[in-house]
């Protein structure tokens, strides 16, 4: 099976494991009581996380699309390809850093920006990050081992792709954990 298919399977498995981990973490949250027909308005944390997740996903899709289009070897050999992918990945980290700094300021303030529901969701949102990283690393390990079993060595340019994919999966899992926390019934 080509390495790219293993990567796609890893991403799907990451979100599946993230969903399971968040579901388990949500069992520890206080019960949400609403009257029939009553809905909650999106909080500042929810709106900020949604925008950040959309921006990070868009950048990650562009980055992955470039690697898929040109191939892993071109990522290593062609500076323009490597620099674009790196710039997109650094942009993901920048967007996430701005979001994290904003949320960090909200956590330290006591002005009502974050309520107890937001704080409990933040406390459990990271539950899926570890499993997401393990699945990503397992998929890369299995995929690369199968792809290069005959040769006996994995080309070094895949190490960069493994590093960036783990970093981006960690960011996306953190954001998805917050968004999934708001989806509980």
């Amino acid at each position: 099976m080509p390495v790219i298919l293993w990567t796609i399977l890893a991403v799907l498995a990451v979100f599946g494991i993230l969903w399971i981990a968040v579901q388990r973490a949500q069992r520890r949250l206080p019960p949400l009581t609403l009257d029939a027909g009553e809905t909650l308005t999106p909080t500042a944390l929810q709106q900020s996380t949604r925008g950040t997740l959309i921006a990070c996903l868009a950048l990650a899709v562009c980055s992955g699309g470039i690697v898929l289009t040109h191939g892993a070897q071109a990522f290593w050999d062609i500076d323009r390809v490597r620099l674009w992918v790196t710039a997109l990945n650094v942009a993901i980290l920048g967007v996430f850093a701005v979001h994290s700094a904003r949320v960090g300021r909200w956590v330290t303030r006591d002005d009502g920006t974050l309520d107890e529901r937001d704080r409990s969701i933040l406390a459990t949102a990271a539950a899926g990050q570890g499993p997401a990283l393990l699945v990503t690393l397992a998929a890369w390990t299995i995929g690369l081992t199968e792809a290069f079993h005959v040769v006996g060595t994995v080309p070094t340019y895949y190490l960069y792709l493994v590093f960036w994919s783990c970093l981006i999966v960690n960011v996306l899992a953190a954001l998805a954990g917050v968004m999934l926390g708001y989806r509980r019934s």
Side-chain angles (χ1 to χ4, degrees), residues 43-183:
T43 65
L45 175 64
Q46 189 177 8
Q47 292 172 348
S48 177
T49 303
R50 181 183 299 124
T52 303
L53 181 60
I54 290 169
C56 289
L57 274 173
L59 291 168
V61 167
C62 289
S63 175
I66 291 172
V67 173
L68 285 173
T69 302
H70 294 286
Q73 180 71 42
F75 171 78
W76 181 259
D77 291 339
I78 303 171
D79 290 338
R80 180 179 42 87
V81 172
R82 186 174 58 256
L83 291 175
W84 269 107
V85 170
T86 302
L88 289 169
N89 291 338
V90 168
I92 292 170
L93 297 177
V95 169
F96 183 68
V98 168
H99 170 73
S100 296
R102 182 182 314 136
V103 171
R105 284 192 310 271
W106 290 345
V107 167
T108 59
R109 294 190 319 211
D110 193 25
D111 62 355
T113 305
L114 296 180
D115 59 11
E116 52 278 345
R117 178 177 64 142
D118 294 326
R119 292 179 190 278
S120 64
I121 287 171
L122 279 175
T124 60
Q129 284 179 294
L133 286 174
L134 288 176
V135 169
T136 302
L137 286 172
W140 273 112
T141 302
I142 293 167
L144 291 174
T145 301
E146 290 298 319
F148 297 103
H149 178 73
V150 174
V151 180
T153 59
V154 176
T156 56
Y157 52 83
Y158 280 105
L159 296 177
Y160 287 101
L161 296 176
V162 170
F163 167 75
W164 280 117
S165 66
C166 285
L167 201 57
I168 301 310
V169 161
N170 193 43
V171 167
L172 294 176
L175 295 169
V178 172
M179 292 308 296
L180 289 173
Y182 286 102
R183 303 259 323 148

